[in-house]
Amino acid sequence: MRPLRLELDGFSTFRERTELDFSGLDLLAFTGATGAGKSTLIDAITFALYGSVARYDNTARVAPVIHQLATQARVRLDFESGGRTYIATRVVRRRTSKSGDSQASTAEARLEVRDGDAESAETTVLAGDVKELNAAVEELLGLDFKQFTRTIVLPQGEFAAFLRDDPANRDKLLQRLLDLGVYERMGQLARAAAKKAANQIEVLAEQRRRHPPLGVEEFQAMTDRLEQVGQVRETVGQAVLQLTELDAELHPLRDRVTAIDQAVARLEATELPDELVGLDKQQRAAETHRVETEGRLTKARTVRDAARQELDDKPDRAELVRVGSQLEQLADARSNLAEYRATAAEVTARLTTLSAEQATIEDALGAAETTVRTARQAADAAGWTAALVKGEPCPVCHRTVEDIPDHDAAEEVDAAEAEHSRLRAEAKTIEKALAKAAGTEQAAADEIERQGERIDLLELQLSAYEGDAEPAAIRAMLEVVEAAELRLREATAAAADLESAVQVATEAERRLEQTMRTMRAGLASHRDSLADLEPPALGHESLIDDYDLLHRWAKDRASELGVERGELAVRGKQVANQRAELVDQIAAATAAVAIQGPTEELPALLAESLTELTTLVAAAEQRRDDDRDLADQIDTLDADRVLHDALGRHLRAGGFSSWLLGEALDNIVAKATVWLLQLSNNQYSLVAGDRNFAIVDHTNADETRDVRTLSGGETFLASLALALALADSIAELAPVDSPRLESMFLDEGFGTLDPGTLDVVAGAIEELASTGRMIGIVTHVGDLAERMPARFEVTKGPAGSSVELIRT
């Protein structure tokens, strides 16, 4: 959650409408006199989201947020979460009860989401009352009110709450921030999946028991019977067909003799026309001319196809152009890579120099701090000289004062502090230069990587080209391809000319064919009159050949019919003998499979038996396949059951998620210790035993102390270190889609810190803000506020509090 804009009207000390714009602010301070309303701004953020103020004894109270001279309080917070902009608005109004007491209640509570840019933004209402708003905010941010005031907005009196919190509450907060509940949900799903698989296995096993497959011997007997019946059916079917043919042949023998005599008379009437010879010669000449022209066309097409093949054998023009372009890009990328490498080398050298300068100035800064302390001690000693009286006892050592020493260390203190300030400013200058150089170095490294990736990609793309990937070779090959394209165009044009010539020759031949077609029609008519005698097909190119073919066929056919007439008697006897043999074959075949009946009905009886057997075999095969499928399904489901059962056991509560919670807490403690050592000048470390926090005092023999024994200032440092570590660790450990801690507001006593510690604290806050989070502090310390790049100065007047944004 990152605030964008806060609007108050009649809220607490802010009677008039007041607006705070947080856009572009990463590090800011709220400053002003005590009671001006600095903490009220932090309260307003919390109230807009959760409808509660942490500083009130009862978080359900809303009446105190209304200004004494106002009838209602309105607060609106625009904030960003998960890349989207939301608007939370609450309005609290006064009301008078029946007893006359002044009370207040929430009159309006609304949460909206705004999508799109400022000009075309569309706003959708997500929650329209207090209950819906509270639930929506808690789901959106992933935190309830108590957890929110321990991680994002830390109000007065609640700063050390996470440090001193009960381990169970702390674990609950970390579980929610890290979304550890996802592992328990995964375990539940895995156990449910294992149970479901076991149920499915039982159902499938029952199916196998109810429908066992047919035995091997029984199945084999059935398939053998099917094969035998099929063979008999094929034999009987052929035999019955032959019987039918023989019976059909015996009856028409007498009619056939009469038909032969009539056919021979018609065959003898076939003659060849005399005028056909001249037309046939003209047609052959026209055909020869067309064939020659077509031959030249074929050669032209061959040349054209060869030119096309030659072009096809050459590399693709588009690929050559692509390779040429990639070669140019590769040369450019290699040049860029060399330039960025040179830049990186220069910046690395600069970083080395700056690092050395930083080490030197840090040593000098440490010496200057020692000088300041020594000068201040001398100044303190000089203060005692005013109490000394010559001849009187010294109030410190009780010895008689003989001489009053002359101490004047004020100038030394000023000089030492001035030198310390100068060195600190110089150290900051070097630090900024280091940061800038590091950024340049990283940018150069990124470019080196990008150019390297670009070179690798281009080289990979070029490696797919099988030819010579050199610029000169590519240009030469392009010239060869263009020459081949020219030859193809010329060959295509020549082939087109010959195609036109073929069309002309074909038209001349067509006209002659029209004349021949008329005569051919007469021949076809005569042939049709002989159709019952099965004359030959007339399909010769020459009509004379067709006439000659039909004439010769007529003579041959008449001769054949004469021979056939003599063979009819012999054939009749042969057919009778064949029929008797077929009847015997059919009887023997059907007896083998125990199927009897009239000869003409046997094929149908055999077909019926074959269909029945085929159905039975198919059903048996299907039952066997189904049983194998069920067995395979059971094996697969059992493997899934074992896997999900193991996963469910590992992810039970107190297992993996508990271990992960401990690891997360150790990570937070380790980071907090780094911060605390820095903030306490290496005096304190933070440890966690049984998930309770404790302090290790390194200046007292590494004594471990309960955090409740710390002073107010020490508690502040430990709480700040823990808050910084929590924000940093959650960003690292939380799942990708978990709500991010994108802001932090600290409302606690920075005034209890000495200058040195305050400087370290300020540096830590500045460093935290550099990670992209918004950091806001409430402070009375002027030096700390002035170090912030932006501050909201709160002023309280007769009409209420007001705020002014000051940027430095």
Side-chain angles (χ1 to χ4, degrees):
M1 191 282 294
R2 186 184 183 95
L4 301 176
R5 177 177 170 273
L6 178 63
E7 181 183 321
L8 303 89
D9 190 354
F11 188 88
S12 190
T13 61
F14 293 87
R15 179 183 179 185
E16 303 296 333
R17 182 179 178 277
T18 303
E19 179 180 339
L20 282 74
D21 187 355
F22 298 104
S23 301
L25 301 182
D26 289 330
L27 185 58
L28 58 104
F30 298 95
T31 65
T34 301
K38 303 183 296 299
S39 297
T40 299
L41 298 176
I42 304 299
D43 294 341
I45 293 176
T46 307
F47 189 81
L49 294 171
Y50 292 94
S52 298
V53 175
R55 292 188 295 162
Y56 298 165
D57 294 335
N58 182 359
T59 56
R61 296 176 62 195
V62 296
V65 304
I66 306 176
H67 189 278
Q68 294 180 353
L69 300 180
T71 59
Q72 72 173 23
R74 180 180 183 275
V75 60
R76 164 180 166 163
L77 175 66
D78 295 18
F79 64 96
E80 184 179 63
S81 180
R84 303 183 74 186
T85 300
Y86 298 87
I87 304 170
T89 304
R90 292 183 190 260
V91 177
V92 178
R93 292 198 180 101
R94 293 189 192 278
R95 58 185 176 84
T96 302
S97 65
K98 294 181 178 180
S99 61
D101 296 332
S102 177
Q103 299 179 356
S105 62
T106 302
E108 180 181 344
R110 184 174 64 256
L111 179 66
E112 303 167 276
V113 62
R114 183 170 57 212
D115 295 313
D117 53 35
E119 295 182 357
S120 59
E122 294 184 0
T123 301
T124 303
V125 176
L126 302 180
D129 57 33
V130 172
K131 185 176 180 180
E132 290 179 355
L133 175 54
N134 292 344
V137 168
E138 185 170 338
E139 180 180 0
L140 178 64
L141 302 186
L143 301 169
D144 60 23
F145 173 72
K146 188 174 182 180
Q147 294 164 344
F148 184 79
T149 57
R150 280 160 169 71
T151 55
I152 295 182
V153 174
L154 287 76
Q156 289 182 2
E158 296 291 331
F159 194 67
F162 185 74
L163 177 68
R164 299 171 176 171
D165 210 346
D166 181 82
N169 292 334
R170 191 184 301 119
D171 288 353
K172 182 179 180 181
L173 172 60
L174 290 178
Q175 286 174 348
R176 187 153 189 174
L177 290 173
L178 298 177
D179 195 18
L180 297 185
V182 67
Y183 300 108
E184 176 59 24
R185 294 192 295 273
M186 287 172 59
Q188 294 173 354
L189 291 175
R191 292 189 292 274
K195 183 177 180 180
K196 180 179 179 181
N199 293 336
Q200 290 176 329
I201 290 173
E202 181 60 30
V203 171
L204 295 178
E206 179 61 24
Q207 291 182 16
R208 292 188 71 190
R209 289 191 293 269
R210 289 200 310 268
H211 304 287
L214 200 63
V216 176
E217 295 181 358
E218 186 178 358
F219 180 77
Q220 185 62 47
M222 184 184 296
T223 54
D224 291 345
R225 169 73 174 174
L226 174 64
E227 183 179 0
Q228 186 180 16
V229 171
Q231 292 174 352
V232 171
R233 177 177 179 271
E234 182 178 357
T235 300
V236 170
Q238 293 175 353
V240 169
L241 180 62
Q242 292 176 21
L243 279 177
T244 302
E245 293 174 351
L246 291 175
D247 288 341
E249 186 178 358
L250 287 173
H251 299 293
L253 287 177
R254 195 172 302 160
D255 295 337
R256 179 59 179 162
V257 171
T258 302
I260 289 175
D261 292 338
Q262 295 173 350
V264 169
R266 284 182 288 138
L267 290 171
E268 292 175 351
T270 303
E271 297 181 355
L272 177 66
D274 295 334
E275 67 273 17
L276 184 59
V277 176
L279 290 173
D280 185 66
K281 290 181 179 179
Q282 294 179 28
Q283 184 182 27
R284 290 179 183 276
E287 179 183 7
T288 300
H289 174 65
R290 176 184 57 77
V291 170
E292 290 176 352
T293 305
E294 288 177 344
R296 288 193 310 227
L297 175 59
T298 301
K299 292 179 180 179
R301 286 174 174 170
T302 301
V303 173
R304 180 195 63 191
D305 294 343
R308 181 179 289 111
Q309 184 62 47
E310 179 188 8
L311 182 59
D312 292 341
D313 292 340
K314 297 293 185 295
D316 183 67
R317 173 194 284 274
E319 183 180 14
L320 291 172
V321 172
R322 176 186 63 79
V323 172
S325 174
Q326 290 173 345
L327 287 170
E328 293 178 358
Q329 296 178 38
L330 181 60
D332 179 63
R334 287 172 174 167
S335 175
N336 291 341
L337 181 61
E339 292 179 3
Y340 284 117
R341 284 177 173 168
T343 300
E346 293 176 1
V347 174
T348 301
R350 173 63 176 159
L351 281 172
T352 301
T353 301
L354 288 173
S355 297
E357 292 178 0
Q358 187 182 44
T360 300
I361 198 65
E362 286 178 351
D363 292 341
L365 189 58
E369 290 175 352
T370 301
T371 301
V372 170
R373 286 195 299 271
T374 302
R376 288 175 177 171
Q377 291 172 355
D380 292 339
W384 285 99
T385 59
L388 298 179
V389 178
K390 189 174 182 179
E392 296 291 333
C394 174
V396 177
C397 65
H398 302 294
R399 295 179 182 179
T400 302
V401 177
E402 297 178 357
D403 293 308
I404 298 176
D406 184 12
H407 293 293
D408 187 8
E411 294 183 358
E412 295 179 4
V413 172
D414 293 341
E417 289 179 343
E419 177 63 13
H420 180 268
S421 297
R422 183 190 68 78
L423 289 173
R424 188 168 64 182
E426 186 175 348
K428 289 184 177 179
T429 301
I430 293 175
E431 184 179 358
K432 291 180 179 179
L434 273 170
K436 181 178 180 181
T440 304
E441 182 184 41
Q442 183 60 47
D446 293 341
E447 278 299 327
I448 288 173
E449 182 180 1
R450 190 177 72 83
Q451 295 297 332
E453 292 175 351
R454 183 184 176 196
I455 290 172
D456 292 342
L457 177 60
L458 289 170
E459 289 178 346
L460 177 62
Q461 293 173 341
L462 286 170
S463 66
Y465 180 64
E466 299 179 354
D468 187 357
E470 292 295 332
I474 295 301
R475 288 193 295 271
M477 185 54 68
L478 276 171
E479 293 177 357
V480 171
V481 170
E482 290 172 354
E485 289 175 343
L486 177 61
R487 287 192 290 275
L488 176 59
R489 288 195 296 272
E490 292 175 347
T492 300
D497 292 341
L498 284 171
E499 286 174 351
S500 298
V502 168
Q503 292 177 357
V504 173
T506 301
E507 178 60 24
E509 185 179 11
R510 186 193 64 76
R511 288 193 294 271
L512 286 171
E513 286 181 348
Q514 183 62 38
T515 302
M516 298 292 287
R517 193 174 295 113
T518 302
M519 297 187 69
R520 188 179 294 276
L523 178 61
S525 177
H526 178 66
R527 178 191 175 283
D528 291 342
S529 66
L530 302 173
D532 59 313
L533 299 177
E534 298 180 354
L538 303 179
H540 290 86
E541 294 181 1
S542 171
L543 185 57
I544 292 177
D545 291 342
D546 279 344
Y547 265 104
D548 182 62
L549 174 63
L550 189 61
H551 182 67
R552 286 186 288 105
W553 168 81
K555 290 183 178 181
D556 293 341
R557 184 59 174 151
S559 177
E560 292 172 359
L561 289 174
V563 173
E564 180 185 358
R565 193 174 188 277
E567 295 175 347
L568 288 177
V570 176
R571 178 60 181 163
K573 185 176 181 179
Q574 291 175 346
V575 169
N577 293 335
Q578 291 176 0
R579 191 179 189 288
E581 292 176 359
L582 286 173
V583 171
D584 293 340
Q585 291 177 9
I586 291 173
T590 55
V593 293
I595 295 178
Q596 301 295 325
T599 302
E600 65 275 8
E601 296 179 3
L602 287 176
L605 294 174
L606 288 167
E608 181 180 351
S609 178
L610 185 64
T611 300
E612 181 180 354
L613 287 170
T614 301
T615 301
L616 292 174
V617 170
E621 290 178 340
Q622 183 63 47
R623 185 179 301 176
R624 185 170 54 183
D625 292 342
D626 291 343
D627 187 72
R628 282 197 297 265
D629 290 343
L630 289 173
D632 292 342
Q633 292 178 43
I634 290 173
D635 291 342
T636 301
L637 286 170
D638 191 57
D640 289 343
R641 181 193 61 77
V642 172
L643 174 64
H644 286 101
D645 183 67
L647 180 61
R649 283 186 282 105
H650 288 308
L651 294 180
R652 286 188 182 277
F656 177 74
S657 60
S658 179
W659 171 84
L660 188 60
L661 181 63
E663 291 295 306
L665 187 61
D666 290 344
N667 180 274
I668 293 171
V669 169
K671 290 181 179 293
T673 293
V674 174
W675 283 111
L676 186 56
L677 285 171
Q678 184 179 1
L679 295 173
S680 65
N681 197 20
N682 294 321
Q683 181 177 356
Y684 296 120
S685 295
L686 188 68
V687 294
D690 295 329
R691 293 188 173 148
N692 278 308
F693 291 135
I695 293 293
V696 178
D697 190 345
H698 298 294
T699 63
N700 189 21
D702 291 340
E703 178 190 8
T704 300
R705 298 162 48 191
D706 190 287
V707 293
R708 292 175 177 78
T709 66
L710 296 175
S711 66
E714 292 169 337
T715 299
F716 173 79
L717 294 181
S719 300
L720 177 61
L722 194 58
L724 298 178
L726 180 63
D728 199 26
S729 295
I730 295 305
E732 293 179 358
L733 300 177
V736 175
D737 56 352
S738 297
R740 295 296 179 184
L741 306 185
E742 299 175 289
S743 59
M744 178 182 290
F745 292 89
L746 309 176
D747 186 2
E748 197 62 38
F750 293 96
T752 62
L753 305 178
D754 60 75
T757 304
L758 186 63
D759 184 64
V760 174
V761 170
I765 292 174
E766 291 171 345
E767 180 178 346
L768 187 63
S770 67
T771 63
R773 299 182 182 90
M774 174 187 288
I775 305 300
I777 63 173
V778 177
T779 180
H780 298 90
V781 182
D783 290 342
L784 179 60
E786 290 176 357
R787 287 185 60 168
M788 302 297 104
R791 63 182 184 272
F792 288 101
E793 289 195 354
V794 184
T795 305
K796 188 173 183 180
S801 300
S802 60
V803 179
E804 180 182 3
L805 174 61
I806 298 177
R807 298 179 183 267
T808 59

